[in-house]
Amino acid sequence: MNGSRPGTPDPPLPEIPGTGVLRQGDSGHGVYELQVRLQQIPDIYDRGPIDGLYDTGVRAAVTRFQNRYGVRGDESGVYGDNTRLALMRRTT
């Protein structure tokens, strides 16, 4: 319980950038990192902005990536655990 009073919940763990599910409408450092990685895959997010905004262009790029590499288990266009693992294996 990290020294907190009995009966009080522990504070949430801080989010590590680039973890957690990302979807259209999200923004921040995790989306920025996603955009950087998407640009490393030819014909997925070519010339897409690196602005930290998960817009329709990012969603379409994630969907293209999922389809091209046969990623299953995440909703289409959503950057979940399976898509993250597949993208991280193919990028630096």
Side-chain angles (χ1 to χ4, degrees), residues 10-61:
D10 290 336
L13 295 174
E15 183 174 330
I16 299 168
T19 63
V21 174
L22 298 172
R23 57 179 37 92
Q24 188 171 339
D26 288 341
S27 63
H29 186 73
V31 178
Y32 176 92
E33 293 293 328
L34 168 60
Q35 291 170 320
V36 168
R37 287 184 182 271
L38 286 171
Q39 278 200 345
Q40 295 177 36
I41 307 292
D43 302 319
I44 294 291
Y45 191 61
D46 295 337
R47 294 183 298 276
I50 307 297
D51 58 8
L53 302 175
Y54 203 123
D55 60 11
T56 56
V58 174
R59 184 175 193 276

Side-chain angles (χ1 to χ4, degrees), residues 18-20 34 37 41 62 65-66 69 71-72 74 78-92:
T19 63
L34 168 60
R37 287 184 182 271
I41 307 292
V62 170
F65 177 82
Q66 291 168 326
Y69 294 100
V71 178
R72 301 288 179 259
D74 293 331
V78 173
Y79 191 56
D81 291 339
N82 295 333
T83 306
R84 176 178 286 101
L85 181 60
L87 185 59
M88 291 182 80
R89 286 181 172 164
R90 291 169 175 84
T91 59
T92 57

